[in-house]
Amino acid sequence: MWAGRHVVLGVSGGIACYKSCFLARRLTEAGARVDVVLTQAAAEFVRPLTFEALTGRPVARSLWEAGGALAHIRLAHEADLIIVAPATAHLVARVAQGLADDILTAVLLARRAPLLIAPAMNDEMYARPETEANLARLRAAGVAQVGPEAGALAEGPSERPGRMSEPATILAHAARLLARGGPLDGRRVVVTAGPTREPLDPVRVITNRSSGRMGFDVAAAAWERGAEVVLIAGPTSLEPPAGPSIRRVDTTAQMEAAVREELPSADLLVMAAAPADYRSVEVASRKRARGEGSLSLTLEPTADILASTRGSRKPGAVIVGFALETGDAVARGRGKLERKDLDLIVINDATEPGAGFEVATNRVTILDREGGERVLPLMDKRAVADAILDLAAARCV
Ligand code: CTP
């Protein structure tokens, strides 16, 4: 998504500048060409050399340096996207007034590309009607805004917004801005993730090793492609991605109910969860003591959520399932695709190193309804998520 993209990263002078270094680094690592433009105050916080080393490109800091007078027009016109992080109260005020008294504001006034700003300031400054009006004016002019968030400020903890969003959040918003007009822009995507757990008594449960990573990465990637994403998540300790709305569930029956509610409006369902397949016929109302001796359980199968959606899918909805197998994976996956009436099934073999649960990578084969089979190499789960969405998006017509 970032490869070959030209991003101008404007940095104004606030302590959150240090986070902009991570932003520059992550954009560069992702393949973007990053040109950093600093205000004079920003250069007091972080030396230009730091950004030059991180991006491998010269940093613009003045209209009056060699090439500066035309550099702002070149940067403004060549950029695919402009991000200003941090955007201080003063910078926001200058941009809202249409001032162009330094190289960053000149680039912004001459811009053709979409602009994302990440305000960062003292909470009192952010709460002032002047700042509010300036930001409202920029939003009305089509400028996208991420944050600020409540949390620690340089001057101490705060319950009120002021703190700049984290680089990962800014990146997600930036990607979404670039994805405007793409195939998933404005689509409703429902993703399930994680295990579910079935109670035996108030303390004990039956569950499985699913971490939720795959589904969380699919949800994050779909949101970055412009979709409205609902992430239905079983119990997992993962940090939720920025953007998708999350519904937390515990048991397979709860996950089924949530899917049923969300399904009628879904253009794409990605069923990456590993719902518990069995539940105990009896659930004790008190914790059973170990001293009571051996315990026999009778388990019954839970509902097959994917199969149960067959009658209530939106016409044309794209349905993606997963299959984690321990042998004969392709044949078993093909059987599940047909039985559950899927467009795509993502299969992996849990016995292969680097694939399956509790690892950051996956090695998958994706089968489609028409009989196609794509064998993907070992990739991290986010790259697998993107590969799945490339195929799914091509079907969302
Ligand atoms: N799935 C589901 N409901 C369940 C179990 C699984 O919707 N109760 C979904 C999974 O999210 C996945 C797909 O079905 O997308 C295949 O899951 P898997 O556990 O491999 O399939 P099962 O139908 O449980 O097949 P089996 O246990 O026979 O291997």
Coordinates of all heavy atoms in Angstrom, one line a residue, residues 192 194 196 252 255-256 259 270-278 301-309 320-325 332 336 339-340 342 344-346, ligand 1:
T192 N -14.7 -12.0 12.3 CA -14.6 -12.6 13.6 C -13.2 -13.0 13.9 O -12.4 -13.3 13.0 CB -15.5 -13.9 13.7 OG1 -15.0 -14.9 12.8 CG2 -17.0 -13.5 13.3
G194 N -10.3 -14.8 17.1 CA -10.0 -15.3 18.4 C -10.8 -16.6 18.7 O -11.5 -17.1 17.9
T196 N -13.5 -18.9 21.1 CA -14.5 -18.7 22.1 C -14.3 -19.6 23.2 O -13.4 -20.5 23.2 CB -15.9 -18.9 21.5 OG1 -16.0 -20.3 21.1 CG2 -16.2 -18.0 20.3
T252 N -19.5 -19.6 21.8 CA -19.8 -19.7 20.4 C -21.2 -19.2 20.1 O -21.5 -18.6 19.1 CB -19.7 -21.2 20.0 OG1 -18.3 -21.5 20.2 CG2 -20.1 -21.4 18.6
M255 N -21.1 -15.6 19.8 CA -20.5 -15.1 18.6 C -21.5 -15.3 17.4 O -21.7 -14.5 16.6 CB -19.2 -15.9 18.3 CG -18.5 -15.5 17.0 SD -16.9 -16.2 16.8 CE -15.9 -15.1 17.8
E256 N -22.3 -16.4 17.5 CA -23.3 -16.7 16.5 C -24.3 -15.6 16.5 O -24.7 -15.1 15.4 CB -23.9 -18.1 16.7 CG -24.9 -18.4 15.6 CD -25.7 -19.7 15.8 OE1 -25.8 -20.1 17.0 OE2 -26.2 -20.2 14.8
V259 N -22.9 -12.4 15.0 CA -22.7 -12.5 13.5 C -24.1 -12.4 12.9 O -24.3 -11.7 11.9 CB -22.1 -13.9 13.1 CG1 -22.2 -14.1 11.6 CG2 -20.6 -13.9 13.5
V270 N -15.6 -12.1 7.1 CA -14.3 -12.9 7.1 C -14.4 -13.6 8.5 O -14.2 -13.0 9.6 CB -13.1 -12.0 7.0 CG1 -11.8 -12.9 7.1 CG2 -13.1 -11.2 5.8
M271 N -14.5 -14.9 8.4 CA -14.7 -15.7 9.6 C -13.4 -16.3 10.1 O -13.1 -17.5 9.8 CB -15.8 -16.8 9.3 CG -16.4 -17.5 10.4 SD -17.6 -16.6 11.4 CE -17.5 -17.6 12.9
A272 N -12.6 -15.5 10.7 CA -11.2 -15.9 11.1 C -11.2 -16.5 12.5 O -10.2 -17.0 12.9 CB -10.3 -14.7 11.0
A273 N -12.3 -16.5 13.2 CA -12.4 -17.0 14.6 C -12.2 -18.5 14.6 O -12.5 -19.2 13.6 CB -13.7 -16.6 15.2
A274 N -11.8 -19.0 15.7 CA -11.8 -20.4 16.0 C -12.8 -20.7 17.1 O -12.4 -20.9 18.2 CB -10.4 -20.9 16.3
P275 N -14.1 -20.7 16.7 CA -15.1 -20.9 17.8 C -14.9 -22.3 18.4 O -14.6 -23.2 17.7 CB -16.4 -20.8 17.1 CG -16.1 -20.2 15.7 CD -14.7 -20.6 15.4
A276 N -15.2 -22.4 19.7 CA -15.1 -23.7 20.4 C -16.1 -24.6 19.7 O -17.3 -24.2 19.5 CB -15.4 -23.6 21.8
D277 N -15.7 -25.8 19.3 CA -16.6 -26.7 18.6 C -17.5 -27.5 19.5 O -18.4 -28.1 19.1 CB -15.8 -27.7 17.7 CG -15.3 -27.0 16.4 OD1 -16.0 -26.1 15.9 OD2 -14.2 -27.3 16.0
Y278 N -17.1 -27.6 20.8 CA -17.9 -28.4 21.7 C -18.2 -27.6 23.0 O -17.4 -26.7 23.4 CB -17.0 -29.6 22.1 CG -16.9 -30.6 21.0 CD1 -15.8 -30.6 20.2 CD2 -17.9 -31.6 20.8 CE1 -15.6 -31.6 19.2 CE2 -17.8 -32.5 19.8 CZ -16.7 -32.5 19.0 OH -16.5 -33.4 18.0
P301 N -21.7 -30.8 20.2 CA -21.1 -29.8 19.3 C -21.9 -28.5 19.4 O -23.1 -28.5 19.7 CB -21.4 -30.4 17.9 CG -22.0 -31.8 18.1 CD -22.3 -31.9 19.6
T302 N -21.2 -27.4 19.2 CA -21.8 -26.1 19.1 C -22.3 -25.9 17.7 O -22.1 -26.7 16.8 CB -20.8 -25.0 19.4 OG1 -19.7 -25.2 18.5 CG2 -20.3 -25.1 20.9
A303 N -23.0 -24.8 17.5 CA -23.6 -24.5 16.1 C -22.4 -24.2 15.2 O -21.4 -23.6 15.6 CB -24.5 -23.3 16.2
D304 N -22.6 -24.5 13.9 CA -21.6 -24.1 12.9 C -22.1 -22.7 12.4 O -23.0 -22.6 11.7 CB -21.6 -25.1 11.8 CG -20.6 -24.7 10.7 OD1 -20.3 -23.5 10.5 OD2 -20.1 -25.7 10.0
I305 N -21.3 -21.7 12.9 CA -21.8 -20.3 12.7 C -21.8 -20.0 11.2 O -22.8 -19.5 10.6 CB -20.9 -19.3 13.4 CG1 -20.8 -19.6 14.9 CG2 -21.3 -17.8 13.1 CD1 -19.8 -18.7 15.6
L306 N -20.7 -20.3 10.5 CA -20.7 -20.0 9.0 C -21.8 -20.7 8.3 O -22.5 -20.0 7.4 CB -19.3 -20.5 8.5 CG -18.3 -19.5 8.2 CD1 -17.1 -20.2 7.5 CD2 -18.8 -18.4 7.3
A307 N -22.0 -22.0 8.5 CA -23.0 -22.7 7.8 C -24.4 -22.1 8.1 O -25.3 -22.0 7.2 CB -23.0 -24.2 8.1
S308 N -24.6 -21.6 9.4 CA -25.9 -21.1 9.7 C -26.2 -19.8 9.1 O -27.3 -19.3 9.1 CB -26.0 -21.0 11.3 OG -25.3 -19.8 11.7
T309 N -25.2 -19.1 8.5 CA -25.5 -17.8 7.9 C -26.0 -18.0 6.4 O -26.4 -17.0 5.8 CB -24.2 -17.0 7.8 OG1 -23.2 -17.6 6.9 CG2 -23.5 -16.7 9.1
V320 N -15.8 -15.4 3.5 CA -14.5 -16.0 3.5 C -14.4 -16.8 4.8 O -14.7 -16.3 5.9 CB -13.4 -14.9 3.6 CG1 -12.0 -15.6 3.6 CG2 -13.5 -14.0 2.4
G321 N -14.0 -18.1 4.7 CA -13.8 -18.9 5.9 C -12.4 -19.3 6.0 O -11.5 -19.1 5.1
F322 N -12.1 -19.9 7.1 CA -10.7 -20.4 7.4 C -10.8 -21.9 7.7 O -11.9 -22.4 8.1 CB -10.1 -19.7 8.6 CG -9.5 -18.4 8.3 CD1 -10.3 -17.3 7.9 CD2 -8.2 -18.1 8.3 CE1 -9.8 -16.1 7.6 CE2 -7.6 -16.9 8.0 CZ -8.5 -15.9 7.7
A323 N -9.7 -22.6 7.5 CA -9.7 -24.0 8.0 C -8.3 -24.3 8.4 O -7.3 -24.1 7.7 CB -10.1 -24.9 6.8
L324 N -8.2 -24.7 9.7 CA -6.9 -25.1 10.3 C -6.9 -26.6 10.3 O -7.7 -27.2 11.0 CB -6.8 -24.5 11.6 CG -5.5 -24.8 12.3 CD1 -4.3 -24.1 11.7 CD2 -5.5 -24.4 13.8
E325 N -6.0 -27.2 9.6 CA -6.1 -28.7 9.5 C -4.8 -29.3 10.0 O -3.8 -28.6 10.1 CB -6.3 -29.1 8.0 CG -7.5 -28.5 7.4 CD -8.8 -28.9 8.0 OE1 -8.8 -29.9 8.8 OE2 -9.9 -28.3 7.7
R332 N -9.5 -31.2 2.6 CA -10.5 -30.9 3.6 C -11.0 -29.5 3.5 O -12.2 -29.3 3.7 CB -9.9 -31.2 5.0 CG -9.6 -32.7 5.3 CD -8.9 -32.8 6.6 NE -9.7 -32.3 7.7 CZ -10.6 -33.0 8.4 NH1 -10.8 -34.3 8.0 NH2 -11.3 -32.5 9.3
K336 N -14.9 -28.0 3.0 CA -15.6 -27.0 3.9 C -16.1 -25.9 3.1 O -17.1 -25.3 3.4 CB -14.6 -26.5 5.0 CG -14.4 -27.5 6.1 CD -13.4 -27.1 7.1 CE -13.1 -28.3 8.1 NZ -12.1 -28.0 9.1
R339 N -19.3 -27.1 1.6 CA -20.3 -27.4 2.6 C -20.9 -26.1 3.2 O -22.0 -25.9 3.5 CB -19.7 -28.2 3.8 CG -20.6 -29.3 4.3 CD -20.0 -30.3 5.2 NE -19.0 -29.8 6.1 CZ -17.7 -30.1 6.1 NH1 -17.2 -30.9 5.2 NH2 -16.9 -29.7 7.1
K340 N -20.0 -25.1 3.4 CA -20.4 -23.9 4.1 C -20.7 -22.8 3.0 O -21.0 -21.7 3.4 CB -19.3 -23.4 5.0 CG -19.0 -24.4 6.1 CD -18.0 -24.0 7.2 CE -17.6 -25.1 8.1 NZ -17.4 -24.8 9.5
L342 N -18.8 -21.1 0.6 CA -17.9 -19.9 0.8 C -17.4 -19.5 -0.6 O -17.3 -20.3 -1.6 CB -16.7 -20.3 1.6 CG -17.1 -21.0 3.0 CD1 -15.8 -21.4 3.7 CD2 -17.9 -20.0 3.8
L344 N -14.3 -17.9 -0.6 CA -12.8 -18.2 -0.4 C -12.7 -19.0 0.9 O -13.4 -18.7 1.8 CB -12.0 -16.9 -0.3 CG -12.1 -15.9 -1.5 CD1 -11.4 -14.6 -1.0 CD2 -11.3 -16.4 -2.7
I345 N -11.7 -19.8 0.9 CA -11.3 -20.4 2.2 C -9.8 -20.4 2.3 O -9.1 -20.6 1.3 CB -11.9 -21.9 2.4 CG1 -11.7 -22.3 3.8 CG2 -11.2 -22.9 1.4 CD1 -12.6 -23.4 4.2
V346 N -9.4 -20.0 3.5 CA -7.9 -19.8 3.8 C -7.5 -21.0 4.6 O -8.0 -21.2 5.7 CB -7.7 -18.5 4.6 CG1 -6.2 -18.3 4.8 CG2 -8.3 -17.3 3.8
Ligands
CTP1 N1 -16.6 -22.1 12.2 C1 -17.9 -21.7 12.5 N2 -18.5 -22.2 13.6 C2 -18.0 -23.2 14.3 C3 -16.7 -23.6 14.0 C4 -16.0 -23.1 12.9 O1 -18.4 -20.8 11.8 N3 -18.6 -23.7 15.4 C5 -15.9 -21.5 11.1 C6 -14.5 -21.0 11.4 O2 -14.5 -19.7 11.8 C7 -13.8 -21.2 10.0 C8 -14.5 -22.4 9.4 O3 -15.8 -22.4 10.1 O4 -13.9 -20.1 9.2 C9 -13.9 -23.7 9.5 O5 -13.6 -23.9 10.8 P1 -13.1 -25.4 11.3 O6 -13.0 -25.4 12.8 O7 -12.0 -25.8 10.5 O8 -14.4 -26.2 10.7 P2 -15.4 -27.2 11.3 O9 -16.7 -27.0 10.6 O10 -15.5 -27.1 12.8 O11 -14.8 -28.5 10.8 P3 -14.1 -29.8 11.6 O12 -14.2 -29.6 13.0 O13 -14.9 -30.9 11.0 O14 -12.7 -29.8 11.1

